[in-house]
Amino acid sequence: QVRRGTLVLVKHHVKEGKRERIVAFQGHVVKLRGEGNNKSITVRQTIDKIDVDRIFPLSAVGLVSVEPVQETKTRAKRARQALAK
């Protein structure tokens, strides 16, 4: 089970010329989308103070695994705004 805010490690295949290798992408889940075979997740990773978002369709052939690393508590945006006031 992957929820919004969870730190995940996504492993997927990358083809470079004739070679193929598995690359890991670790970041926080920003968005969950779709249902059934159309389900996808958006993962955000910070690299040198720059945020990189990647969308991974969960039914993709090149996707090897999605492993939760750490569960985090997230609050709704409206709750954060109410606490800031």
Side-chain angles (χ1 to χ4, degrees), residues 26-51:
Q26 183 171 344
H28 290 277
V29 175
V30 178
K31 188 189 298 185
L32 296 166
R33 242 188 144 154
E35 292 182 11
N37 288 339
N38 294 328
K39 203 173 243 189
S40 66
I41 60 172
T42 303
V43 181
R44 178 174 289 161
Q45 179 182 32
T46 304
I47 302 171
D48 294 330
K49 298 181 183 177
I50 298 172
D51 288 336

Side-chain angles (χ1 to χ4, degrees), residues 39-85:
K39 203 173 243 189
S40 66
I41 60 172
T42 303
V43 181
R44 178 174 289 161
Q45 179 182 32
T46 304
I47 302 171
D48 294 330
K49 298 181 183 177
I50 298 172
D51 288 336
V52 177
D53 289 353
R54 290 209 51 185
I55 299 170
F56 294 100
L58 295 180
S59 62
V61 177
L63 193 64
V64 177
S65 67
V66 178
E67 303 167 4
V69 176
Q70 180 183 13
E71 286 286 326
T72 57
K73 274 191 172 180
T74 57
R75 301 181 83 120
K77 185 176 179 181
R78 62 183 173 274
R80 286 194 307 265
Q81 290 173 347
L83 290 173
K85 291 182 180 180

Side-chain angles (χ1 to χ4, degrees), residues 11-14 60-64:
K11 294 181 182 177
H12 60 97
H13 286 281
V14 173
V61 177
L63 193 64
V64 177

